[in-house]
Amino acid sequence: MKWPFCRRWPGASVAFLVNEPIAIAELVRRVSDPEHGGTATFMGTVRRGPDDGPVAAIEYTAYEGMAESEFSKILDQTLERWPGARVALQHRLGRIPTGEVSVAVVVSTPHRAQAFEACRYVVEELKQRVPIWKQEVLEGGATRWRGNRDSGQDVT
Amino acid sequence: MDPSTDTTISIRCSFFARYAELVGCDHVTLDVPAGATVGTAVALLRGVVPNGDQLPDRPMVAVNQEHALADTKLRDGDEMALLPPLAGG
């Protein structure tokens, strides 16, 4: 049986995709629960790797309808595996400067082990399944498409 | 009555990110034989869109916003999206 509040906690109707900076504190507030002693927060930030050259920002786009639906399925599956967990996540779209947060996943559970595990699960699933793409914007304005290094797919 | 309506179906093909840039548009309508699979439709598509030969033989595909396989059967009016390698996170 599913946790009765799984789709009803405050903010559950908030979109998974946003165009403005992600408000981490708000996500943490949404999973807070007096019976939960562990909250794990993962933030993915736009980075410039050692071999990436002068990356100024990353432009994120999505197949938005499908992305929202995949996020929703990932949450449902997370709640099946960790009944009672509370999960909040958001992915930012548009041009995100280096150093800013592109995705945040926050999970609370009664004890820390499940919070870490469930948070990791959500992050790995979203990288495998959610149709989002990124294009690096170099200083000077040139752009290049970029796949996830760990997606197992050819980037060319 | 056009007899071809019994034997062909029409699907909407969507392109995203690098694939949209490659073919120069974000969607096309494609007629495929009734009962065609995703694999058949992708092969046809590669032959008709600009730079179609540069699309992969077996791209990641979604049908009606759900991940699909090469042997997924298509129905009239389906939306088949070609998804470049995912890069969320």
Side-chain angles (χ1 to χ4, degrees):
Chain A
M1 182 183 156
K2 283 188 184 176
W3 181 248
F5 300 125
C6 68
R7 311 298 306 157
R8 292 179 170 272
W9 64 67
S13 62
V14 172
F16 297 120
L17 297 171
V18 295
N19 286 298
E20 58 278 355
I22 295 172
I24 305 291
E26 168 61 18
L27 299 184
V28 172
R29 191 190 64 75
R30 275 159 50 189
V31 305
S32 103
D33 185 313
E35 294 181 7
H36 285 187
T39 299
T41 299
F42 172 83
M43 290 179 285
T45 51
V46 170
R47 71 171 194 138
R48 176 187 310 153
D51 306 319
D52 291 347
V55 177
I58 290 185
E59 182 94 28
Y60 283 87
T61 56
Y63 181 9
E64 296 194 15
M66 180 176 173
E68 292 280 357
S69 141
E70 287 294 317
F71 277 132
S72 187
K73 286 184 210 164
I74 291 170
L75 288 201
D76 287 348
Q77 286 163 10
T78 305
L79 295 169
E80 275 170 29
R81 289 179 68 153
W82 292 274
R86 296 182 67 154
V87 187
L89 74 90
Q90 276 186 337
H91 201 299
R92 183 175 167 190
L93 299 180
R95 184 166 295 203
I96 309 181
T98 308
E100 293 194 15
V101 175
S102 53
V103 64
V105 177
V106 187
V107 180
S108 81
T109 56
H111 304 287
R112 68 185 180 284
Q114 305 98 300
F116 280 126
E117 285 167 21
C119 186
R120 175 81 189 256
Y121 173 82
V122 172
V123 174
E124 301 301 335
E125 286 293 305
L126 83 86
K127 284 188 168 265
Q128 297 289 328
R129 295 170 47 176
V130 181
I132 293 176
W133 298 280
K134 58 187 169 197
Q135 191 174 37
E136 289 176 339
V137 182
L138 305 180
E139 285 163 17
T143 58
R144 64 184 177 209
W145 293 103
R146 176 80 167 262
N148 278 339
R149 291 191 172 86
D150 52 359
S151 71
Q153 292 179 291
D154 197 345
V155 177
T156 57
Chain B
M1 291 286 282
D2 178 356
S4 71
T5 53
D6 291 336
T7 52
T8 65
I9 56 173
S10 184
I11 60 169
R12 177 192 163 99
C13 305
S14 306
F15 305 101
F16 292 91
R18 196 174 64 80
Y19 294 169
E21 210 170 80
L22 190 68
V23 303
C25 68
D26 60 10
H27 72 275
V28 296
T29 301
L30 183 72
D31 289 334
V32 298
T37 61
V38 162
T40 309
V42 168
L44 287 169
L45 193 61
R46 293 179 76 241
V48 298
V49 295
N51 301 317
D53 58 336
Q54 292 177 49
L55 293 168
D57 292 340
R58 295 173 69 93
M60 182 181 273
V61 169
V63 174
N64 300 333
Q65 305 196 354
E66 305 251 357
H67 286 290
L69 300 171
D71 62 3
T72 300
K73 284 246 166 65
L74 293 165
R75 288 180 299 187
D76 191 48
D78 277 351
E79 182 187 21
M80 181 178 84
L82 270 58
L83 311 178
L86 305 183

